[in-house]
Amino acid sequence: MTAVPTPSQLAQIDDAELAHLALSWRARAGYGDRDAFGVAHALEVERRRRLRQSQLHQLPPEPMAPRPWWKFWQTSPSGSSDGPMSTT
């Protein structure tokens, strides 16, 4: 891999190998290999994208906020004024 990998090439790499490749390419870039900077960056971006997606799946669903007690006539907390006091 000497050129920046395409997204389809990155999709074929498993997470552990992706982390190892990103680390090794970043080390090569640190030693002054100019071509390694782009490859290391692409690998790290893919690694962060995968991590972000896996963390989003672990989040609990967002709880619904309770309605204020004085808006008992509204059926949804969206703030629409379809209640008995509406003038339309």
Side-chain angles (χ1 to χ4, degrees):
M1 183 183 329
T2 57
V4 177
T6 63
S8 62
Q9 291 171 334
L10 291 173
Q12 296 173 358
I13 302 172
D14 66 339
D15 293 340
E17 186 179 356
L18 185 66
H20 174 69
L21 285 172
L23 185 66
S24 64
W25 279 95
R26 182 54 63 195
R28 285 179 62 180
Y31 285 120
D33 185 355
R34 288 190 177 268
D35 296 330
F37 281 104
V39 176
H41 179 72
L43 292 168
E44 290 167 350
V45 166
E46 177 66 17
R47 186 170 172 224
R48 285 192 303 268
R49 186 190 66 79
R50 289 183 189 183
L51 181 65
R52 188 172 42 247
Q53 281 182 345
S54 68
Q55 287 174 343
L56 283 176
H57 291 303
Q58 294 173 2
L59 288 176
E62 188 173 320
M64 292 290 294
R67 290 184 303 212
W69 64 269
W70 64 87
K71 294 186 179 182
F72 59 88
W73 59 84
Q74 288 183 342
T75 57
S76 67
S78 64
S80 62
S81 59
D82 294 337
M85 303 291 279
S86 84
T87 58
T88 57

